[in-house]
Amino acid sequence: MGYKETLLQPIMIGNRKCENRFFAQPMECVDSDEEGNPTELTYRRYENLFKGHFAFIDLEAITVTNESRARKTQLEIMPRNVKALTRFVRSLKEINPNALFVFQLTHSGEISEPDFSRRVTVKPVYGLGGDLLSEEEVDKIIDQFAEAAKIVQDVGADGVDMKLCHGYLGSQILRPYNDRPWKYGGAWENRAQFAYDLYERIRKATNFDKDFLIGSKISMWEAFPGGFGSAGPDSPLMDMREPIDLIKGLEERGAQYFVESLGNVHCSMEFMEAGSEDPYLSYLHMYFSKLMKDNLKPETVVVGSHFSSFRGKVNKLLSIEPEKSSMFAMGARCIEDGIVDMVGLGRQSFADPYTPLKLEEGREDEVKYCTQCLNCEELMIRQMPVGCVLYNKTYTELFREARKKYGKLAELHT
C-alpha cells in the first residue's frame, strides 16, 4: 500500500468515523477578542483547516477560567462565550460537516502570565512560583472543566481533549514533583485522582454520551527532574510506570483517543517542537507513541506528534533516504507499523492548512512545508497573533513589527 492510501484511510474514534489519518494539533494563536471569543483571524485559521480536509481538528487550548491564563487574548469557554462559540462551530461545520472537532480544555496554573492574570501552583517550581492552590480551589477548577465540557457539547462540537501536557495544570498535578501532602499530591494514587475525577465529571456533565469524544494530549515525559514520567520528586531518571498507569486508567474511564507528546513549555520546549537544527528529536515521539499503543486496547486511537520535522524529501535528517524520511512517507510507515493511528501536524498546519487536501488531489508537489524556523513561536512569546511567518503575509507583517519594536529574542525557548 502506498503512503497516499494509508494516510487517506478512514478510522473509527469511539462511535465516530474519521475520514482520514490527519490530525490538526491544538496550536495556541493569541487572537481572541477581549472576552475570549473567536475573531476574524481565528475564523480564518480554522476555516482553512476545515477546507484543507484535516479529518480530526483539535481547537487550541481554550481556558476554562479568565483568572489564570497563559495568553492575554486566549480563547475562553464560559457561559458568556456560548453564543460566539455556537456561531463558530456552526460556521466551520458548514464548510466540512464530516470533520471531527474537539476542544482542548485547559487551565494554565503556574504557566499563567502574572502581568494580566493570577499565577497559581500546586508546588512552586524554580523560576516560576505562584500562589499555592488549595484543595477547595482545585475542586472548583474541576467544576469549571465539567461546565466547559457541557458547553462544548451544547455548541455542537464533537468532544474534548482534556489537556494533560506541556507543564499546564494537568501536568503540574500529575508529576512526582507534586509531593505536597494534600488531596491531589504525594502518592501516585492521589495525583492520578485529579485526572480520573476530571474524566468522570466530564462524562457525567455530558450525560455519558458515547458519541461525544473524550481524550487527552499527554506529555509522557516532561524532561526535567521530578516532571511527569520521572522516577521521583527530584529524579532526572525517566520512569514510564505512572504514564502507562495513567493512560490505562483514563481508558477505563472512557478515553477513546490520546495525543502523544513530550516536554514542558518552561524548560524543555525542544521536545515539544524541535528547531531546524535538531529534527532527529522527532524520532523520540515514535517510541512514546508505540508505548501508548502497546498498553492500550486496539480500538483506542493514538495520535502521533512531531511529524512536521520530516517535511518533504528535503530535510536535515541524515542516514536515511530522502524518499523514506518525508512527512508523508514517515507518517504512513508509522501507521503501517502500528506505532500510531493518526499523524498529528502542528506547525505544518500553519505552513499549509491544505496539506491533506493536496495529498488527496495528487498535488503533493504543491505542499508548503514548515521550515522549523520557530518564528511562529516567537510571536506567541510576544503575546501576538500566531501563524506562519514564512507563507502568510498577515503574520510576516506582525513579525516584522515585533522585531522592529522589541528586537530579536536572545533565547527563543524561555
Side-chain angles (χ1 to χ4, degrees):
M1 184 181 293
Y3 62 69
K4 182 174 180 178
E5 290 77 12
T6 297
L7 293 169
L8 296 181
Q9 273 190 324
I11 187 172
M12 296 299 294
I13 307 178
N15 292 337
R16 308 297 299 278
K17 183 181 180 181
C18 194
E19 296 291 336
N20 62 44
R21 302 304 179 96
F22 287 100
F23 173 83
Q25 295 272 14
M27 305 292 285
E28 291 183 77
C29 287
V30 200
D31 59 15
S32 77
D33 66 16
E34 292 182 355
E35 291 194 339
N37 295 317
T39 62
E40 182 182 345
L41 278 178
T42 319
Y43 269 83
R44 194 183 309 163
R45 288 189 294 106
Y46 285 95
E47 285 169 357
N48 285 334
L49 293 172
F50 274 75
K51 291 175 183 176
H53 286 197
F54 275 90
F56 192 11
I57 298 169
D58 199 348
L59 181 73
E60 66 204 77
I62 184 168
T63 179
V64 301
T65 176
N66 181 263
E67 181 184 36
S68 300
R69 62 195 196 281
R71 317 293 164 212
K72 190 171 185 178
T73 48
Q74 182 169 2
L75 292 178
E76 300 179 9
I77 183 162
M78 289 171 279
R80 72 181 188 185
N81 306 111
V82 169
K83 288 184 179 179
L85 290 174
T86 301
R87 288 194 298 271
F88 183 57
V89 173
R90 183 188 304 122
S91 174
L92 296 173
K93 288 286 189 177
E94 286 173 357
I95 294 170
N96 183 358
N98 294 323
L100 298 178
F101 192 27
V102 297
F103 284 23
Q104 186 183 70
L105 305 181
T106 192
H107 185 295
S108 296
E110 69 192 18
I111 306 299
S112 300
E113 179 50 60
D115 287 348
F116 51 78
S117 71
R118 180 187 176 216
R119 177 171 285 175
V120 294
T121 184
V122 299
K123 180 186 174 185
V125 170
Y126 176 75
L128 287 175
D131 299 336
L132 199 66
L133 281 170
S134 67
E135 293 179 0
E136 291 75 21
E137 286 176 308
V138 173
D139 288 338
K140 180 182 177 182
I141 289 168
I142 291 176
D143 290 340
Q144 291 172 318
F145 274 110
E147 180 180 46
K150 178 58 177 169
I151 292 172
V152 173
Q153 185 181 49
D154 290 345
V155 302
D158 300 299
V160 294
D161 163 5
M162 181 50 245
K163 188 170 187 174
L164 300 173
C165 63
H166 301 165
Y168 293 83
L169 184 64
S171 300
Q172 295 157 25
I173 292 177
L174 288 169
R175 64 176 63 133
Y177 181 78
N178 172 27
D179 60 356
R180 174 180 152 206
W182 66 308
K183 181 179 179 180
Y184 297 113
W188 168 238
E189 291 74 17
N190 296 343
R191 290 179 279 123
Q193 196 59 48
F194 169 77
Y196 297 160
D197 287 350
L198 211 48
Y199 264 56
E200 289 167 0
R201 287 289 306 280
I202 287 171
R203 292 188 66 211
K204 183 178 180 181
T206 56
N207 297 315
F208 300 95
D209 182 353
K210 290 185 178 180
D211 290 332
F212 187 77
L213 301 177
I214 182 169
S216 282
K217 186 168 185 177
I218 297 177
S219 285
M220 295 289 280
W221 180 51
E222 276 194 277
F224 76 94
F228 192 53
S230 298
D234 61 356
S235 174
L237 181 66
M238 185 191 298
D239 187 330
M240 285 293 104
R241 286 175 293 180
E242 289 180 358
I244 289 170
D245 193 61
L246 175 70
I247 60 173
K248 287 182 174 180
L250 294 178
E251 184 182 58
E252 289 173 2
R253 289 163 177 82
Q256 300 118 319
Y257 74 93
F258 292 101
V259 184
E260 177 276 335
S261 196
L262 304 171
N264 175 300
V265 294
H266 175 60
C267 61
S268 51
M269 283 281 288
E270 288 79 2
F271 291 103
M272 291 169 52
E273 46 184 29
S276 60
E277 298 306 313
D278 46 14
Y280 47 83
L281 290 177
S282 295
Y283 294 131
L284 282 176
H285 289 261
M286 297 176 189
Y287 169 79
F288 290 97
S289 294
K290 187 63 164 64
L291 192 67
M292 283 182 155
K293 286 289 297 174
D294 288 346
N295 286 280
L296 295 167
K297 297 174 183 176
E299 62 268 25
T300 302
V301 169
V302 172
V303 180
S305 294
H306 228 272
F307 283 95
S308 296
S309 296
F310 295 105
R311 306 184 63 200
K313 294 179 182 178
V314 179
N315 54 42
K316 293 187 178 181
L317 293 163
L318 305 178
S319 303
I320 180 173
E321 298 93 325
E323 60 271 16
K324 292 183 179 179
S325 67
S326 73
M327 181 183 70
F328 290 139
M330 191 62 74
R333 166 73 186 271
C334 287
I335 292 170
E336 291 163 3
D337 287 356
I339 296 170
V340 304
D341 297 300
M342 299 191 72
V343 173
L345 300 179
R347 288 170 294 168
Q348 177 60 28
S349 73
F350 284 166
D352 197 338
Y354 290 80
T355 297
L357 180 62
K358 288 179 179 178
L359 175 66
E360 184 181 316
E361 296 181 345
R363 297 188 289 132
E364 297 100 307
D365 291 343
E366 297 178 24
V367 174
K368 300 172 183 176
Y369 287 103
C370 171
T371 63
Q372 299 176 275
C373 67
L374 295 180
N375 289 335
C376 56
E377 182 68 29
E378 183 170 336
L379 286 173
M380 187 176 74
I381 291 171
R382 300 292 193 195
Q383 295 285 340
M384 299 177 70
V386 179
C388 184
V389 171
L390 179 60
Y391 298 120
N392 191 314
K393 291 181 180 179
T394 297
Y395 302 102
T396 305
E397 291 305 314
L398 284 169
F399 187 74
R400 285 174 178 161
E401 291 173 18
R403 282 290 178 90
K404 185 176 180 180
K405 183 176 182 179
Y406 302 110
K408 188 176 181 178
L409 282 176
E411 178 61 44
L412 185 62
H413 287 162
T414 57

